[in-house]
Structure formats: C-alpha cells, structure tokens
Amino acid sequence: DKPKSWIPLSNFDGIEIKDFAAEIARLALLIAEFQCDVRLINQQEARLNILPLKRTEHIHTGNALRMDWLTVCPPATQSEQQTGDLIGVEPDQGEIDSSAAEVETYICGNPPYLGSRVQDEKRKEDLQLLAAKRIKKWKSLDYVAGWYLQAA
C-alpha cells in the first residue's frame, strides 16, 4: 500500500467572506491533494481517492473579523501532528518541543487594505468591535489592523 498525501485536507482551515471564493478555495484544496497523490501513487489510484468529491468543511463563509478563529481553527495538539514534510525530510527532533501542548498554527490571509478614510460604516463597526476597548485612536487604523488584533 503506497502512501498518499501526508497532509490531509482537514489540516487546512479558512474563512472567506464571499460564497463563490470559498467554493474556489475548497476546489483548490481538492486539486492540490489530488496532484500530491498523483506524485506519490499514480493517477488511477489518486482518482479513486478523490472521487466522489469529498466536502472540505474547513473553509467557512463569513466575516473573519466577526468570527471566533479558535472555533474555526482549533489549535492542534502534539498527538495530531504528522511527522515528515512534503519532500520526505524528517524534522530535526532537537527542534521540536515535545512538551508543548500545541503545535504551531500558521495564519495566511489577504485582507483588504483600506485606510481609515476609505472604510464604509460596516468596516468601521468591525474595527470598533475589535479595537475600541484596547486602542484609543482606533478610528485611524487601516482595516487590515483588525486581522492583527483578531490574531492576537
């Protein structure tokens, strides 16, 4: 039995505000998994693994500044972490803190960069919910600052 993709789709979580873009992200994940499987096994077996198309429920539709990121992307524990990487090189075990309760989570995004003067009322409300209690002059923040506050 040949190994298939080492990184399951369940390792990827996402938030997209637009329905169509969320569907594209789900499809892109399925295609990436298929391409990885084709490299590791063969195309015929990879087709059997992907068809029928499975749901990728880890991509959520909604406003990322109004969603609880810990609910969308719960921290993984050491027992859930998979060893190895995409090129088959095992990590240096000396670099892994095996006593840590959680493994690293990476957040990537492409939020809209809208200066304080360009934001509409809805976006100002998003920032107000996140920043008003922490920052006096939150109204002068760029909209992208909300992602930093949400991540913190």
Side-chain angles (χ1 to χ4, degrees):
D1 192 32
K2 296 177 185 176
K4 55 181 229 138
S5 178
W6 296 315
I7 304 174
L9 292 181
S10 60
N11 281 17
F12 295 90
D13 299 289
I15 303 170
E16 175 53 55
I17 200 161
K18 297 178 180 174
D19 290 334
F20 184 70
E23 288 301 320
I24 295 297
R26 291 179 186 111
L27 182 59
L29 284 173
L30 288 168
I31 291 169
E33 183 182 52
F34 174 75
Q35 289 173 329
C36 192
D37 284 348
V38 166
R39 291 181 65 125
L40 294 170
I41 50 181
N42 63 46
Q43 191 169 21
Q44 187 175 1
E45 287 181 61
R47 266 194 211 121
L48 294 174
N49 286 336
I50 201 164
L51 295 175
L53 292 177
K54 53 189 174 259
R55 295 291 304 157
T56 50
E57 273 82 25
H58 294 272
I59 304 297
H60 303 270
T61 303
N63 183 334
L65 295 186
R66 294 187 180 237
M67 294 179 81
D68 177 10
W69 288 10
L70 291 175
T71 301
V72 172
C73 178
T77 62
Q78 283 288 341
S79 62
E80 295 170 330
Q81 184 181 18
Q82 295 192 11
T83 60
D85 64 20
L86 290 177
I87 58 173
V89 178
E90 290 296 318
D92 178 359
Q93 296 300 316
E95 295 177 10
I96 297 175
D97 180 5
S98 59
S99 65
E102 298 174 1
V103 296
E104 295 175 346
T105 299
Y106 295 90
I107 299 172
C108 303
N110 188 20
Y113 291 83
L114 297 171
S116 60
R117 295 186 191 128
V118 186
Q119 299 165 27
D120 60 21
E121 285 301 313
K122 196 160 69 169
R123 291 196 168 124
K124 281 289 186 196
E125 287 175 19
D126 293 343
L127 277 179
Q128 182 179 12
L129 287 170
L130 291 168
K133 293 180 182 174
R134 302 185 218 183
I135 302 169
K136 277 186 184 178
K137 296 186 179 187
W138 65 268
K139 290 181 181 181
S140 64
L141 293 174
D142 188 293
Y143 191 62
V144 76
W147 273 259
Y148 289 100
L149 293 167
Q150 185 75 312

